[in-house]
């Protein structure tokens, strides 16, 4: 398991699921840039370890002073989640920031919800995975709080299309887009986020919508934006201080109605 760190001892430990490509990789890129976020160590959570290694190599080629490591994690496997949490505990003894980014979109633009295996798989990754990962990392986040590392932060990467207000507004451009399995899983993820926010009132637990973004998940939909833009609000939420918000659902333009 690769671990490459800079000479500076890391002060802020970040773990991102699904970070070997797409928006997760971009969040890793930004948070591990020492000139912007000094002292941050980013752990790239990767479904396929070799792809995580390749992502770390790319990021180090861009800037060799980054502090990065890789931990394999399949969010649908409790054994994999437990091994990942155990590795973070052994390497760092705490976690300051958890970013639940791993996600899938299987229903494309279909309108059917009767594909039970796809529906179940979508929830396994997007909801049950984020729930199990968060619960497994709670003790390590609590360690960060005890060590006075500032408020522990959890970012749930959700979507604006999860908003009931957006879906029920016929004038909203995304209301007519379907993918109901994905929308349902992310709407439930918003409730899960609020659960963890209320459980830990001193922490900063928030939902982030990246917006339609040009990654494999977006399946070539027209109008997709850049991963750079998609990561900005996630990074803001991942670096909140004591005065920052908690229990919110936002994107680069501000608060999203539930
Ligand atoms: N792109 C958009 O337009 C958009 C809009 C709103 C919200 N989002 C959300 O943003 C997040 C990132 O998506 P993205 O657009 O960057 O898509 P992406 O490029 O497909 O990245 C998704 C990541 O999740 C990983 N993953 C999938 N299943 C996993 C599992 N079982 N365990 C662990 N990791 C798993 C993937 O690993 P592999 O590459 O190895 O499969 C990949 O690294 C997702 O939660 C998505 O729902 C995206």
């Amino acid at each position: 398991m690769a671990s490459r760190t800079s000479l500076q001892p890391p002060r802020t430990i970040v773990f991102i699921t699904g970070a070997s490509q797409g928006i997760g990789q971009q969040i890793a890129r930004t948070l591990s840039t020492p000139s912007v976020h000094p002292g941050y160590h980013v752990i790239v959570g990767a479904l396929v370890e070799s792809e995580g290694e390749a992502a770390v190599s790319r990021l180090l080629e861009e800037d060799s002073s980054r502090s990065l490591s890789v931990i394999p994690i399949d969010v649908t496997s409790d054994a994999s989640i437990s091994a990942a949490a155990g590795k973070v505990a052994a390497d760092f003894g705490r976690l300051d920031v958890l970013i639940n980014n791993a996600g899938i979109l299987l229903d494309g633009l279909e309108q059917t919800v009767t594909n039970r295996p796809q529906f179940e798989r979508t929830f396994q990754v997007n909801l049950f995975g984020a729930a199990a990962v968060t619960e497994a990392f709670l003790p390590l986040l609590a360690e960060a709080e005890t060590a006075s590392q500032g408020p522990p932060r959890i970012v749930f990467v959700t979507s604006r299309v999860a908003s009931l207000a957006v879906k029920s507004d016929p004038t909203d451009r995304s209301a007519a887009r379907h993918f109901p399995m994905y929308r349902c899983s992310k709407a439930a993820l918003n409730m899960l986020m609020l659960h963890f926010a209320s459980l830990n009132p001193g922490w900063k637990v928030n939902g982030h919508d990246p917006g339609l973004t040009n990654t494999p998940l977006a399946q070539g939909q027209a109008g997709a934006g850049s991963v750079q833009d998609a990561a900005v609000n996630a990074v803001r939420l991942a670096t909140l201080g004591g005065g920052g918000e908690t229990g919110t659902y936002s994107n680069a333009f501000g608060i999203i109605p539930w």
Side-chain angles (χ1 to χ4, degrees):
M1 195 173 302
S3 180
R4 283 162 254 186
T5 58
S6 67
L7 295 176
Q8 290 277 36
R11 294 193 305 268
T12 304
I13 313 300
V14 182
F15 181 64
I16 310 171
T17 62
S20 58
Q21 64 169 19
I23 295 162
Q25 178 184 244
Q26 182 59 30
I27 297 169
R29 174 180 281 115
T30 307
L31 285 176
S32 67
T33 301
S35 56
V36 186
H37 300 288
Y40 271 61
H41 177 85
V42 177
I43 305 164
V44 169
L47 180 59
V48 179
E49 187 170 9
S50 60
E51 291 182 11
E53 298 279 5
V56 165
S57 295
R58 282 192 294 276
L59 296 177
L60 289 173
E61 266 170 36
E62 293 170 12
D63 181 348
S64 62
S65 67
R66 287 189 163 114
S67 182
L68 294 155
S69 54
V70 180
I71 292 183
I73 184 165
D74 176 351
V75 303
T76 66
S77 159
D78 288 340
S80 173
I81 292 168
S82 174
K87 177 71 178 150
V88 174
D91 288 352
F92 303 104
R94 67 167 200 278
L95 183 68
D96 300 282
V97 184
L98 170 65
I99 303 183
N100 285 305
N101 168 76
I104 56 172
L105 173 100
L106 297 181
D107 47 353
L109 298 177
E110 289 172 22
Q111 299 179 40
T112 177
V113 291
T114 54
N115 187 332
R116 196 180 282 267
Q118 276 195 5
F119 214 162
E120 288 176 350
R121 181 72 191 164
T122 300
F123 269 69
Q124 284 292 349
V125 176
N126 293 359
L127 182 69
F128 309 153
V133 169
T134 305
E135 204 140 80
F137 280 91
L138 286 180
L140 288 168
L141 290 158
E143 284 295 335
E145 190 175 32
T146 305
S148 297
Q149 283 286 120
R153 282 90 78 194
I154 309 176
V155 180
F156 288 85
V157 181
T158 174
S159 173
R160 185 174 177 276
V161 301
S163 164
L164 305 184
V166 166
K167 181 63 180 163
S168 58
D169 176 0
T171 66
D172 191 284
R173 63 181 166 73
S174 79
R177 292 187 183 146
H178 295 291
F179 31 92
M181 305 175 203
Y182 180 79
R183 288 186 102 127
C184 290
S185 71
K186 293 292 189 178
L189 185 68
N190 287 350
M191 180 58 80
L192 186 78
M193 178 277 291
L194 286 175
H195 164 69
F196 283 113
S198 62
L199 206 60
N200 304 282
W203 300 12
K204 304 301 170 189
V205 181
N206 292 287
H208 160 68
D209 159 49
L212 181 60
T213 306
N214 188 14
T215 67
L217 182 141
Q219 304 173 4
Q221 290 180 67
S226 69
V227 288
Q228 286 82 1
D229 287 346
V232 170
N233 188 54
V235 168
R236 184 185 71 79
L237 294 172
T239 56
L240 287 175
E245 68 263 41
T246 193
T248 70
Y249 171 35
S250 68
N251 61 19
F253 304 102
I255 293 293
I256 304 169
W258 299 108

